[in-house]
Amino acid sequence: MGVHVVPESFVEEQLRSVLSDMDVDVVKTGMLPSIGVVKVLCDSLRKFPVKALVVDPVMVSTSGDTLSAPSTLSGYRDQLFAMADIVTPNLKEASALLGGAPLKTVYDMRDAAKSIYNLGPRHVLVKGGDLSDSSDAIDIFFDGQTCHELRGSRVKTRNTHGTGCTMASCIAAELAKGSAMLQAVQEAKAFVESALHYSKDMAIGNGPQGPFDHLFRLKSPHYNVGATPRFNPDDLFLYAVTDSRMNKKWGRSITDAVQAAIEGGATIIQLREKEAETREFIESAKACLEICRSSRVPLLINDRVDVALACGADGVHVGQSDMPARTARELLGPGKIIGVSCKTPAQAEKAWADGADYIGCGGVFPTTTKEDNITVGMEGLKAVCLASKLPVVAIGGIGIANARSVMEIGVPNLKGIAIVSALFDRECVATETRKLRSVLMDACSRTNLSV
């Protein structure tokens, strides 16, 4: 019903107070009432850089009220967008940013996302909740190369006040937790959809719009409407990588190996089968997928996007010489998990930019599973973790003797270890997996890491 503009000098003091005091990972903007405040924000972020900036160009509310002066548009376009990792306009805001052209179709939204991308941000999400002719809630996510059409259920309710702000805030929170950009957007969309559905019949106040319950999961932790399972960084905790030669050496099938690893406590499985024929590999992968599904353990395929598509796996892991993560994402779509092997901070940064969900860093120590594999050591692992915006799993020469020291390097985005020989070049895979899990659990309890 009213707006009181805080003086620019006081906004600057607020920003300095927080950004100089705390190690801020992500900043999300809301309503910026003037071009002066936009300048203050940009200057502050140059002094105190953050890992990601989420810009919600709040100019027109869901109810249709104009919230920012028209002159603020130039501040967004000329200053803020160039610093933004993602911009999240609704249809009316996207139209205003592009000179007033109406957006009436999904094709209009796609064109708008590309045009706004050309103004400088690294990613654009055009929110289509107000698209009148659509029975679905459609958002368009553009990363500079691919337009992803994200669909959800349209919830019939008057309780839609603040949906855009919630969406942007949830994206920022997911980025701060280490999610890749596309995954953060998907999580935010699923959260808003579930919150709207949970709150659809709530009656608070007499206005044309009501609020929705942001804290619904405190009452119903598993309430999730229409959302597909998504990547959880904690799944990297004990990452088991099968090896065809080791399975043959010990006379076990790939399905036996996967079953044993899961019984021992593996939290994610990667099939690395270099010798199997494609048809045989696909059939084995389908069998492994059934085992993993029954235990709710994600299954990834090493290198082979074709096999992942054919068997319906949860995703792929690719190396630096394999298919680029961006291409894999285009083929697999937004719902699959993509991991990338990285040895340097620069490779980690590219993996994030290309839409990967996590990185595998190594070899940390020398290993017999890859010839001429350059090791990065503990310091190299730590350097990659500190530079990465994604969760990290350490790989290469890790076993019971050194797993604890790896997990205790003191970086929060190191989520686990990937194991090959220490599990699968042993007589009893389940027993070795249990031993390693016990070591990791103890290491995490000592360092207060989440499991």
Side-chain angles (χ1 to χ4, degrees), residues 22-59:
M22 290 185 279
D23 186 14
V24 175
D25 290 312
V26 181
V27 165
K28 173 254 176 188
T29 72
M31 187 183 74
L32 304 177
S34 69
I35 194 168
V37 170
V38 173
K39 185 178 185 303
V40 164
L41 174 63
C42 291
D43 290 344
S44 298
L45 292 177
R46 291 187 189 99
K47 294 175 186 175
F48 303 101
V50 295
K51 290 183 179 178
L53 172 63
V54 177
V55 174
D56 187 15
V58 181
M59 295 173 287

PDB file of all heavy atoms in Angstrom, residues 22-59:
ATOM      1  N   MET A  22      30.720 -10.848   7.224  1.00  0.00           N
ATOM      2  CA  MET A  22      30.463 -12.270   7.005  1.00  0.00           C
ATOM      3  C   MET A  22      30.973 -12.707   5.633  1.00  0.00           C
ATOM      4  O   MET A  22      31.072 -11.908   4.720  1.00  0.00           O
ATOM      5  CB  MET A  22      28.968 -12.557   7.104  1.00  0.00           C
ATOM      6  CG  MET A  22      28.427 -12.434   8.512  1.00  0.00           C
ATOM      7  SD  MET A  22      26.689 -12.927   8.614  1.00  0.00           S
ATOM      8  CE  MET A  22      25.884 -11.444   8.042  1.00  0.00           C
ATOM      9  N   ASP A  23      31.274 -14.006   5.537  1.00  0.00           N
ATOM     10  CA  ASP A  23      31.724 -14.573   4.266  1.00  0.00           C
ATOM     11  C   ASP A  23      30.491 -14.901   3.432  1.00  0.00           C
ATOM     12  O   ASP A  23      30.000 -16.025   3.425  1.00  0.00           O
ATOM     13  CB  ASP A  23      32.556 -15.828   4.526  1.00  0.00           C
ATOM     14  CG  ASP A  23      33.170 -16.378   3.258  1.00  0.00           C
ATOM     15  OD1 ASP A  23      33.167 -15.657   2.235  1.00  0.00           O
ATOM     16  OD2 ASP A  23      33.640 -17.531   3.272  1.00  0.00           O
ATOM     17  N   VAL A  24      29.972 -13.904   2.724  1.00  0.00           N
ATOM     18  CA  VAL A  24      28.722 -14.045   1.971  1.00  0.00           C
ATOM     19  C   VAL A  24      28.998 -14.760   0.652  1.00  0.00           C
ATOM     20  O   VAL A  24      29.882 -14.363  -0.108  1.00  0.00           O
ATOM     21  CB  VAL A  24      28.084 -12.660   1.711  1.00  0.00           C
ATOM     22  CG1 VAL A  24      26.851 -12.798   0.824  1.00  0.00           C
ATOM     23  CG2 VAL A  24      27.723 -11.995   3.032  1.00  0.00           C
ATOM     24  N   ASP A  25      28.240 -15.801   0.366  1.00  0.00           N
ATOM     25  CA  ASP A  25      28.395 -16.558  -0.881  1.00  0.00           C
ATOM     26  C   ASP A  25      27.527 -15.995  -2.000  1.00  0.00           C
ATOM     27  O   ASP A  25      27.955 -15.917  -3.142  1.00  0.00           O
ATOM     28  CB  ASP A  25      28.042 -18.030  -0.663  1.00  0.00           C
ATOM     29  CG  ASP A  25      29.067 -18.749   0.181  1.00  0.00           C
ATOM     30  OD1 ASP A  25      30.273 -18.598  -0.108  1.00  0.00           O
ATOM     31  OD2 ASP A  25      28.688 -19.447   1.120  1.00  0.00           O
ATOM     32  N   VAL A  26      26.278 -15.653  -1.674  1.00  0.00           N
ATOM     33  CA  VAL A  26      25.315 -15.244  -2.692  1.00  0.00           C
ATOM     34  C   VAL A  26      24.545 -14.023  -2.214  1.00  0.00           C
ATOM     35  O   VAL A  26      24.171 -13.941  -1.041  1.00  0.00           O
ATOM     36  CB  VAL A  26      24.320 -16.382  -3.008  1.00  0.00           C
ATOM     37  CG1 VAL A  26      23.335 -15.957  -4.098  1.00  0.00           C
ATOM     38  CG2 VAL A  26      25.065 -17.639  -3.454  1.00  0.00           C
ATOM     39  N   VAL A  27      24.315 -13.095  -3.127  1.00  0.00           N
ATOM     40  CA  VAL A  27      23.463 -11.935  -2.865  1.00  0.00           C
ATOM     41  C   VAL A  27      22.274 -12.001  -3.812  1.00  0.00           C
ATOM     42  O   VAL A  27      22.429 -12.286  -4.998  1.00  0.00           O
ATOM     43  CB  VAL A  27      24.235 -10.614  -3.073  1.00  0.00           C
ATOM     44  CG1 VAL A  27      23.272  -9.430  -3.165  1.00  0.00           C
ATOM     45  CG2 VAL A  27      25.222 -10.392  -1.931  1.00  0.00           C
ATOM     46  N   LYS A  28      21.091 -11.764  -3.276  1.00  0.00           N
ATOM     47  CA  LYS A  28      19.882 -11.697  -4.093  1.00  0.00           C
ATOM     48  C   LYS A  28      19.276 -10.311  -3.933  1.00  0.00           C
ATOM     49  O   LYS A  28      19.130  -9.813  -2.815  1.00  0.00           O
ATOM     50  CB  LYS A  28      18.891 -12.776  -3.659  1.00  0.00           C
ATOM     51  CG  LYS A  28      17.524 -12.677  -4.335  1.00  0.00           C
ATOM     52  CD  LYS A  28      16.488 -12.146  -3.360  1.00  0.00           C
ATOM     53  CE  LYS A  28      15.153 -11.947  -4.045  1.00  0.00           C
ATOM     54  NZ  LYS A  28      14.181 -11.251  -3.151  1.00  0.00           N
ATOM     55  N   THR A  29      18.939  -9.666  -5.035  1.00  0.00           N
ATOM     56  CA  THR A  29      18.325  -8.347  -4.967  1.00  0.00           C
ATOM     57  C   THR A  29      16.815  -8.455  -5.085  1.00  0.00           C
ATOM     58  O   THR A  29      16.288  -9.336  -5.760  1.00  0.00           O
ATOM     59  CB  THR A  29      18.836  -7.424  -6.090  1.00  0.00           C
ATOM     60  OG1 THR A  29      18.283  -7.856  -7.344  1.00  0.00           O
ATOM     61  CG2 THR A  29      20.349  -7.431  -6.171  1.00  0.00           C
ATOM     62  N   GLY A  30      16.135  -7.526  -4.431  1.00  0.00           N
ATOM     63  CA  GLY A  30      14.685  -7.415  -4.563  1.00  0.00           C
ATOM     64  C   GLY A  30      14.353  -6.081  -5.203  1.00  0.00           C
ATOM     65  O   GLY A  30      14.985  -5.675  -6.179  1.00  0.00           O
ATOM     66  N   MET A  31      13.398  -5.362  -4.647  1.00  0.00           N
ATOM     67  CA  MET A  31      13.005  -4.086  -5.218  1.00  0.00           C
ATOM     68  C   MET A  31      14.105  -3.047  -5.010  1.00  0.00           C
ATOM     69  O   MET A  31      14.513  -2.772  -3.881  1.00  0.00           O
ATOM     70  CB  MET A  31      11.714  -3.579  -4.574  1.00  0.00           C
ATOM     71  CG  MET A  31      11.164  -2.342  -5.252  1.00  0.00           C
ATOM     72  SD  MET A  31       9.687  -1.707  -4.443  1.00  0.00           S
ATOM     73  CE  MET A  31      10.377  -0.969  -2.980  1.00  0.00           C
ATOM     74  N   LEU A  32      14.590  -2.501  -6.097  1.00  0.00           N
ATOM     75  CA  LEU A  32      15.581  -1.423  -6.058  1.00  0.00           C
ATOM     76  C   LEU A  32      14.886  -0.176  -6.591  1.00  0.00           C
ATOM     77  O   LEU A  32      14.620  -0.069  -7.783  1.00  0.00           O
ATOM     78  CB  LEU A  32      16.802  -1.791  -6.914  1.00  0.00           C
ATOM     79  CG  LEU A  32      17.480  -3.122  -6.542  1.00  0.00           C
ATOM     80  CD1 LEU A  32      18.616  -3.429  -7.501  1.00  0.00           C
ATOM     81  CD2 LEU A  32      17.986  -3.087  -5.109  1.00  0.00           C
ATOM     82  N   PRO A  33      14.567   0.788  -5.720  1.00  0.00           N
ATOM     83  CA  PRO A  33      13.641   1.857  -6.101  1.00  0.00           C
ATOM     84  C   PRO A  33      14.221   2.948  -6.988  1.00  0.00           C
ATOM     85  O   PRO A  33      13.470   3.714  -7.580  1.00  0.00           O
ATOM     86  CB  PRO A  33      13.220   2.440  -4.752  1.00  0.00           C
ATOM     87  CG  PRO A  33      14.397   2.181  -3.855  1.00  0.00           C
ATOM     88  CD  PRO A  33      14.953   0.865  -4.309  1.00  0.00           C
ATOM     89  N   SER A  34      15.575   3.014  -7.071  1.00  0.00           N
ATOM     90  CA  SER A  34      16.152   4.126  -7.831  1.00  0.00           C
ATOM     91  C   SER A  34      17.461   3.705  -8.470  1.00  0.00           C
ATOM     92  O   SER A  34      18.105   2.738  -8.047  1.00  0.00           O
ATOM     93  CB  SER A  34      16.407   5.332  -6.918  1.00  0.00           C
ATOM     94  OG  SER A  34      17.456   5.036  -6.004  1.00  0.00           O
ATOM     95  N   ILE A  35      17.866   4.478  -9.462  1.00  0.00           N
ATOM     96  CA  ILE A  35      19.136   4.182 -10.129  1.00  0.00           C
ATOM     97  C   ILE A  35      20.310   4.406  -9.186  1.00  0.00           C
ATOM     98  O   ILE A  35      21.350   3.751  -9.286  1.00  0.00           O
ATOM     99  CB  ILE A  35      19.265   5.033 -11.416  1.00  0.00           C
ATOM    100  CG1 ILE A  35      20.402   4.484 -12.289  1.00  0.00           C
ATOM    101  CG2 ILE A  35      19.479   6.500 -11.090  1.00  0.00           C
ATOM    102  CD1 ILE A  35      20.409   5.074 -13.681  1.00  0.00           C
ATOM    103  N   GLY A  36      20.105   5.302  -8.194  1.00  0.00           N
ATOM    104  CA  GLY A  36      21.151   5.540  -7.205  1.00  0.00           C
ATOM    105  C   GLY A  36      21.406   4.320  -6.340  1.00  0.00           C
ATOM    106  O   GLY A  36      22.561   3.992  -6.028  1.00  0.00           O
ATOM    107  N   VAL A  37      20.357   3.635  -5.935  1.00  0.00           N
ATOM    108  CA  VAL A  37      20.515   2.422  -5.129  1.00  0.00           C
ATOM    109  C   VAL A  37      21.177   1.322  -5.955  1.00  0.00           C
ATOM    110  O   VAL A  37      21.997   0.550  -5.445  1.00  0.00           O
ATOM    111  CB  VAL A  37      19.145   1.963  -4.580  1.00  0.00           C
ATOM    112  CG1 VAL A  37      19.250   0.573  -3.956  1.00  0.00           C
ATOM    113  CG2 VAL A  37      18.622   2.955  -3.564  1.00  0.00           C
ATOM    114  N   VAL A  38      20.836   1.235  -7.230  1.00  0.00           N
ATOM    115  CA  VAL A  38      21.490   0.260  -8.108  1.00  0.00           C
ATOM    116  C   VAL A  38      22.992   0.508  -8.152  1.00  0.00           C
ATOM    117  O   VAL A  38      23.798  -0.417  -8.043  1.00  0.00           O
ATOM    118  CB  VAL A  38      20.898   0.319  -9.534  1.00  0.00           C
ATOM    119  CG1 VAL A  38      21.701  -0.562 -10.493  1.00  0.00           C
ATOM    120  CG2 VAL A  38      19.440  -0.113  -9.526  1.00  0.00           C
ATOM    121  N   LYS A  39      23.384   1.764  -8.262  1.00  0.00           N
ATOM    122  CA  LYS A  39      24.810   2.110  -8.307  1.00  0.00           C
ATOM    123  C   LYS A  39      25.495   1.758  -6.988  1.00  0.00           C
ATOM    124  O   LYS A  39      26.610   1.226  -6.971  1.00  0.00           O
ATOM    125  CB  LYS A  39      24.984   3.598  -8.611  1.00  0.00           C
ATOM    126  CG  LYS A  39      26.441   4.020  -8.784  1.00  0.00           C
ATOM    127  CD  LYS A  39      26.567   5.484  -9.135  1.00  0.00           C
ATOM    128  CE  LYS A  39      28.015   5.871  -9.425  1.00  0.00           C
ATOM    129  NZ  LYS A  39      28.907   5.567  -8.294  1.00  0.00           N
ATOM    130  N   VAL A  40      24.823   2.053  -5.879  1.00  0.00           N
ATOM    131  CA  VAL A  40      25.384   1.716  -4.565  1.00  0.00           C
ATOM    132  C   VAL A  40      25.623   0.213  -4.453  1.00  0.00           C
ATOM    133  O   VAL A  40      26.672  -0.244  -3.977  1.00  0.00           O
ATOM    134  CB  VAL A  40      24.438   2.200  -3.440  1.00  0.00           C
ATOM    135  CG1 VAL A  40      24.790   1.535  -2.114  1.00  0.00           C
ATOM    136  CG2 VAL A  40      24.510   3.707  -3.299  1.00  0.00           C
ATOM    137  N   LEU A  41      24.652  -0.577  -4.900  1.00  0.00           N
ATOM    138  CA  LEU A  41      24.786  -2.029  -4.852  1.00  0.00           C
ATOM    139  C   LEU A  41      25.957  -2.511  -5.701  1.00  0.00           C
ATOM    140  O   LEU A  41      26.774  -3.328  -5.258  1.00  0.00           O
ATOM    141  CB  LEU A  41      23.489  -2.684  -5.315  1.00  0.00           C
ATOM    142  CG  LEU A  41      23.512  -4.207  -5.457  1.00  0.00           C
ATOM    143  CD1 LEU A  41      23.763  -4.871  -4.107  1.00  0.00           C
ATOM    144  CD2 LEU A  41      22.208  -4.719  -6.053  1.00  0.00           C
ATOM    145  N   CYS A  42      26.049  -2.001  -6.929  1.00  0.00           N
ATOM    146  CA  CYS A  42      27.140  -2.428  -7.827  1.00  0.00           C
ATOM    147  C   CYS A  42      28.501  -2.075  -7.242  1.00  0.00           C
ATOM    148  O   CYS A  42      29.432  -2.886  -7.264  1.00  0.00           O
ATOM    149  CB  CYS A  42      26.963  -1.789  -9.198  1.00  0.00           C
ATOM    150  SG  CYS A  42      25.539  -2.401 -10.121  1.00  0.00           S
ATOM    151  N   ASP A  43      28.628  -0.865  -6.708  1.00  0.00           N
ATOM    152  CA  ASP A  43      29.898  -0.439  -6.101  1.00  0.00           C
ATOM    153  C   ASP A  43      30.254  -1.327  -4.909  1.00  0.00           C
ATOM    154  O   ASP A  43      31.425  -1.701  -4.724  1.00  0.00           O
ATOM    155  CB  ASP A  43      29.807   1.019  -5.654  1.00  0.00           C
ATOM    156  CG  ASP A  43      29.758   2.000  -6.829  1.00  0.00           C
ATOM    157  OD1 ASP A  43      30.106   1.581  -7.951  1.00  0.00           O
ATOM    158  OD2 ASP A  43      29.356   3.157  -6.622  1.00  0.00           O
ATOM    159  N   SER A  44      29.249  -1.686  -4.107  1.00  0.00           N
ATOM    160  CA  SER A  44      29.502  -2.519  -2.929  1.00  0.00           C
ATOM    161  C   SER A  44      29.960  -3.919  -3.320  1.00  0.00           C
ATOM    162  O   SER A  44      30.857  -4.491  -2.693  1.00  0.00           O
ATOM    163  CB  SER A  44      28.231  -2.610  -2.080  1.00  0.00           C
ATOM    164  OG  SER A  44      27.841  -1.343  -1.600  1.00  0.00           O
ATOM    165  N   LEU A  45      29.370  -4.464  -4.380  1.00  0.00           N
ATOM    166  CA  LEU A  45      29.745  -5.813  -4.803  1.00  0.00           C
ATOM    167  C   LEU A  45      31.118  -5.834  -5.475  1.00  0.00           C
ATOM    168  O   LEU A  45      31.765  -6.881  -5.516  1.00  0.00           O
ATOM    169  CB  LEU A  45      28.680  -6.380  -5.743  1.00  0.00           C
ATOM    170  CG  LEU A  45      27.322  -6.680  -5.092  1.00  0.00           C
ATOM    171  CD1 LEU A  45      26.320  -7.175  -6.119  1.00  0.00           C
ATOM    172  CD2 LEU A  45      27.474  -7.704  -3.970  1.00  0.00           C
ATOM    173  N   ARG A  46      31.556  -4.705  -6.011  1.00  0.00           N
ATOM    174  CA  ARG A  46      32.926  -4.644  -6.534  1.00  0.00           C
ATOM    175  C   ARG A  46      33.929  -4.638  -5.384  1.00  0.00           C
ATOM    176  O   ARG A  46      35.021  -5.214  -5.498  1.00  0.00           O
ATOM    177  CB  ARG A  46      33.105  -3.394  -7.398  1.00  0.00           C
ATOM    178  CG  ARG A  46      32.330  -3.448  -8.717  1.00  0.00           C
ATOM    179  CD  ARG A  46      32.667  -2.276  -9.621  1.00  0.00           C
ATOM    180  NE  ARG A  46      31.765  -2.228 -10.780  1.00  0.00           N
ATOM    181  CZ  ARG A  46      30.704  -1.441 -10.855  1.00  0.00           C
ATOM    182  NH1 ARG A  46      30.425  -0.592  -9.870  1.00  0.00           N
ATOM    183  NH2 ARG A  46      29.924  -1.467 -11.926  1.00  0.00           N
ATOM    184  N   LYS A  47      33.564  -4.016  -4.275  1.00  0.00           N
ATOM    185  CA  LYS A  47      34.445  -3.993  -3.103  1.00  0.00           C
ATOM    186  C   LYS A  47      34.431  -5.327  -2.369  1.00  0.00           C
ATOM    187  O   LYS A  47      35.441  -5.758  -1.807  1.00  0.00           O
ATOM    188  CB  LYS A  47      34.013  -2.885  -2.140  1.00  0.00           C
ATOM    189  CG  LYS A  47      34.174  -1.475  -2.678  1.00  0.00           C
ATOM    190  CD  LYS A  47      33.616  -0.461  -1.692  1.00  0.00           C
ATOM    191  CE  LYS A  47      33.631   0.953  -2.258  1.00  0.00           C
ATOM    192  NZ  LYS A  47      32.966   1.934  -1.347  1.00  0.00           N
ATOM    193  N   PHE A  48      33.273  -5.973  -2.359  1.00  0.00           N
ATOM    194  CA  PHE A  48      33.109  -7.234  -1.632  1.00  0.00           C
ATOM    195  C   PHE A  48      32.509  -8.278  -2.578  1.00  0.00           C
ATOM    196  O   PHE A  48      31.310  -8.555  -2.538  1.00  0.00           O
ATOM    197  CB  PHE A  48      32.191  -7.039  -0.420  1.00  0.00           C
ATOM    198  CG  PHE A  48      32.649  -5.977   0.540  1.00  0.00           C
ATOM    199  CD1 PHE A  48      32.064  -4.717   0.510  1.00  0.00           C
ATOM    200  CD2 PHE A  48      33.658  -6.222   1.455  1.00  0.00           C
ATOM    201  CE1 PHE A  48      32.472  -3.724   1.395  1.00  0.00           C
ATOM    202  CE2 PHE A  48      34.070  -5.238   2.342  1.00  0.00           C
ATOM    203  CZ  PHE A  48      33.474  -3.979   2.311  1.00  0.00           C
ATOM    204  N   PRO A  49      33.319  -8.880  -3.448  1.00  0.00           N
ATOM    205  CA  PRO A  49      32.792  -9.836  -4.443  1.00  0.00           C
ATOM    206  C   PRO A  49      32.172 -11.069  -3.773  1.00  0.00           C
ATOM    207  O   PRO A  49      32.607 -11.510  -2.703  1.00  0.00           O
ATOM    208  CB  PRO A  49      34.038 -10.223  -5.248  1.00  0.00           C
ATOM    209  CG  PRO A  49      35.032  -9.139  -4.986  1.00  0.00           C
ATOM    210  CD  PRO A  49      34.764  -8.675  -3.593  1.00  0.00           C
ATOM    211  N   VAL A  50      31.143 -11.615  -4.412  1.00  0.00           N
ATOM    212  CA  VAL A  50      30.488 -12.824  -3.939  1.00  0.00           C
ATOM    213  C   VAL A  50      30.528 -13.874  -5.047  1.00  0.00           C
ATOM    214  O   VAL A  50      30.855 -13.572  -6.194  1.00  0.00           O
ATOM    215  CB  VAL A  50      29.021 -12.538  -3.530  1.00  0.00           C
ATOM    216  CG1 VAL A  50      28.983 -11.597  -2.327  1.00  0.00           C
ATOM    217  CG2 VAL A  50      28.225 -11.959  -4.693  1.00  0.00           C
ATOM    218  N   LYS A  51      30.181 -15.106  -4.710  1.00  0.00           N
ATOM    219  CA  LYS A  51      30.239 -16.184  -5.693  1.00  0.00           C
ATOM    220  C   LYS A  51      29.133 -16.078  -6.739  1.00  0.00           C
ATOM    221  O   LYS A  51      29.300 -16.504  -7.877  1.00  0.00           O
ATOM    222  CB  LYS A  51      30.162 -17.540  -4.983  1.00  0.00           C
ATOM    223  CG  LYS A  51      31.403 -17.881  -4.170  1.00  0.00           C
ATOM    224  CD  LYS A  51      31.282 -19.257  -3.547  1.00  0.00           C
ATOM    225  CE  LYS A  51      32.539 -19.616  -2.752  1.00  0.00           C
ATOM    226  NZ  LYS A  51      32.416 -20.944  -2.102  1.00  0.00           N
ATOM    227  N   ALA A  52      27.985 -15.553  -6.322  1.00  0.00           N
ATOM    228  CA  ALA A  52      26.869 -15.460  -7.270  1.00  0.00           C
ATOM    229  C   ALA A  52      25.951 -14.307  -6.889  1.00  0.00           C
ATOM    230  O   ALA A  52      25.757 -14.017  -5.708  1.00  0.00           O
ATOM    231  CB  ALA A  52      26.085 -16.764  -7.321  1.00  0.00           C
ATOM    232  N   LEU A  53      25.388 -13.669  -7.902  1.00  0.00           N
ATOM    233  CA  LEU A  53      24.428 -12.583  -7.722  1.00  0.00           C
ATOM    234  C   LEU A  53      23.136 -12.945  -8.443  1.00  0.00           C
ATOM    235  O   LEU A  53      23.132 -13.186  -9.652  1.00  0.00           O
ATOM    236  CB  LEU A  53      24.990 -11.269  -8.276  1.00  0.00           C
ATOM    237  CG  LEU A  53      24.017 -10.081  -8.334  1.00  0.00           C
ATOM    238  CD1 LEU A  53      23.561  -9.687  -6.935  1.00  0.00           C
ATOM    239  CD2 LEU A  53      24.659  -8.896  -9.044  1.00  0.00           C
ATOM    240  N   VAL A  54      22.045 -13.000  -7.691  1.00  0.00           N
ATOM    241  CA  VAL A  54      20.717 -13.275  -8.240  1.00  0.00           C
ATOM    242  C   VAL A  54      19.955 -11.955  -8.293  1.00  0.00           C
ATOM    243  O   VAL A  54      19.754 -11.312  -7.263  1.00  0.00           O
ATOM    244  CB  VAL A  54      19.947 -14.290  -7.369  1.00  0.00           C
ATOM    245  CG1 VAL A  54      18.534 -14.514  -7.920  1.00  0.00           C
ATOM    246  CG2 VAL A  54      20.707 -15.608  -7.284  1.00  0.00           C
ATOM    247  N   VAL A  55      19.558 -11.549  -9.487  1.00  0.00           N
ATOM    248  CA  VAL A  55      18.853 -10.274  -9.657  1.00  0.00           C
ATOM    249  C   VAL A  55      17.395 -10.553 -10.010  1.00  0.00           C
ATOM    250  O   VAL A  55      17.089 -11.083 -11.072  1.00  0.00           O
ATOM    251  CB  VAL A  55      19.512  -9.411 -10.757  1.00  0.00           C
ATOM    252  CG1 VAL A  55      18.664  -8.168 -11.020  1.00  0.00           C
ATOM    253  CG2 VAL A  55      20.922  -9.017 -10.333  1.00  0.00           C
ATOM    254  N   ASP A  56      16.522 -10.215  -9.084  1.00  0.00           N
ATOM    255  CA  ASP A  56      15.090 -10.269  -9.341  1.00  0.00           C
ATOM    256  C   ASP A  56      14.652  -8.838  -9.639  1.00  0.00           C
ATOM    257  O   ASP A  56      14.528  -8.027  -8.717  1.00  0.00           O
ATOM    258  CB  ASP A  56      14.369 -10.815  -8.106  1.00  0.00           C
ATOM    259  CG  ASP A  56      12.887 -11.051  -8.365  1.00  0.00           C
ATOM    260  OD1 ASP A  56      12.488 -11.069  -9.545  1.00  0.00           O
ATOM    261  OD2 ASP A  56      12.134 -11.208  -7.385  1.00  0.00           O
ATOM    262  N   PRO A  57      14.435  -8.506 -10.906  1.00  0.00           N
ATOM    263  CA  PRO A  57      14.145  -7.113 -11.270  1.00  0.00           C
ATOM    264  C   PRO A  57      12.716  -6.730 -10.900  1.00  0.00           C
ATOM    265  O   PRO A  57      11.821  -6.669 -11.740  1.00  0.00           O
ATOM    266  CB  PRO A  57      14.373  -7.095 -12.780  1.00  0.00           C
ATOM    267  CG  PRO A  57      14.043  -8.479 -13.214  1.00  0.00           C
ATOM    268  CD  PRO A  57      14.449  -9.392 -12.083  1.00  0.00           C
ATOM    269  N   VAL A  58      12.493  -6.527  -9.598  1.00  0.00           N
ATOM    270  CA  VAL A  58      11.144  -6.296  -9.081  1.00  0.00           C
ATOM    271  C   VAL A  58      10.682  -4.901  -9.472  1.00  0.00           C
ATOM    272  O   VAL A  58      11.024  -3.911  -8.835  1.00  0.00           O
ATOM    273  CB  VAL A  58      11.108  -6.471  -7.552  1.00  0.00           C
ATOM    274  CG1 VAL A  58       9.685  -6.261  -7.037  1.00  0.00           C
ATOM    275  CG2 VAL A  58      11.607  -7.853  -7.169  1.00  0.00           C
ATOM    276  N   MET A  59       9.929  -4.843 -10.546  1.00  0.00           N
ATOM    277  CA  MET A  59       9.381  -3.569 -11.021  1.00  0.00           C
ATOM    278  C   MET A  59       7.869  -3.585 -11.061  1.00  0.00           C
ATOM    279  O   MET A  59       7.219  -2.561 -10.877  1.00  0.00           O
ATOM    280  CB  MET A  59       9.923  -3.272 -12.423  1.00  0.00           C
ATOM    281  CG  MET A  59      11.424  -3.047 -12.452  1.00  0.00           C
ATOM    282  SD  MET A  59      12.038  -2.892 -14.137  1.00  0.00           S
ATOM    283  CE  MET A  59      11.914  -4.569 -14.700  1.00  0.00           C
TER     284      MET A  59
END
